[in-house]
Amino acid sequence: MESQRLSKPTPSTPGPTTSAPSKPGTLASFVRFVVCGGGVGLLAGAVVPLLATAMPWALANALITVASTVLCTELHALFTFGTGRRAGLRRHLQSAGSATAAYLVTTAAMLILHAVQPSPTLLREQAVYLTASGLAGIGRFLVLRLFVFAERQKEAAPAPVPLQSRGARSGRAASALSTGPQRPAYSPMLPSVA
């Protein structure tokens, strides 16, 4: 009988808690962003030539670009930014928009390079492309972190309580604590809407 009393849970015994997934800090998110994006980019770079043996290169590149963008968006939602849930359609579209902007930045950088220097060396082309790609990647990271995968503050904010309700609530609390004769709380005369 004594052992039965000890094995029963008591109200003060904490039960299992479910905590929300912890959100990584900015530096950790950036490292995860580079790892996910770089890993998927390397994989995509290896798959495009293989797929291009069965179809035109431009089509293979387009298919792999779409697939890798979708995969990266899912990885960023679950791993990079720690949202705890998969990316929805809105986040996929926003992520695709930021990827398109990054593509346009790198393309513009290469077009400008070739306009300024018609025959650049391979080293110069790589330097310009990698610099533009790095800047576009940083910009894309900021867009994803600050806008696409940011928690909405409106959802977490408590609803404002009307002033009239506050007065009524505080009046009730005060009257519950009062031990003397009950007097009505002051309330301004407002027209009734009933």
Side-chain angles (χ1 to χ4, degrees), residues 3-154:
S3 64
Q4 287 177 348
R5 255 190 281 161
L6 293 176
S7 65
K8 288 183 181 179
T10 61
S12 64
T13 306
T17 58
T18 56
S19 61
S22 63
K23 296 189 79 58
T26 304
L27 182 61
S29 289
F30 185 72
V31 169
R32 292 175 180 191
F33 177 81
V34 171
V35 169
C36 289
V40 171
L42 289 173
L43 181 64
V47 173
V48 169
L50 295 175
L51 196 57
T53 60
M55 62 183 66
W57 188 90
L59 179 60
N61 187 34
L63 290 174
I64 295 302
T65 299
V66 169
S68 64
T69 301
V70 168
L71 177 60
C72 274
T73 302
E74 288 295 328
L75 289 173
H76 292 326
L78 296 171
F79 180 69
T80 303
F81 301 108
T83 63
R85 60 188 179 276
R86 294 186 59 190
L89 180 62
R90 177 186 63 84
R91 285 183 168 155
H92 275 289
L93 293 174
Q94 289 174 328
S95 180
S98 69
T100 301
Y103 168 79
L104 292 174
V105 166
T106 55
T107 301
M110 295 308 289
L111 290 174
I112 291 169
L113 172 65
H114 284 276
V116 172
Q117 189 176 13
S119 299
T121 64
L122 180 61
L123 183 62
R124 181 155 305 186
E125 280 184 330
Q126 285 297 307
V128 168
Y129 177 78
L130 292 175
T131 301
S133 184
L135 292 173
I138 291 169
R140 186 161 187 256
F141 169 77
L142 292 173
V143 166
L144 293 177
R145 178 156 175 95
L146 298 175
F147 299 106
V148 177
F149 294 106
E151 291 298 317
R152 302 285 179 236
Q153 296 301 321
K154 294 176 189 173

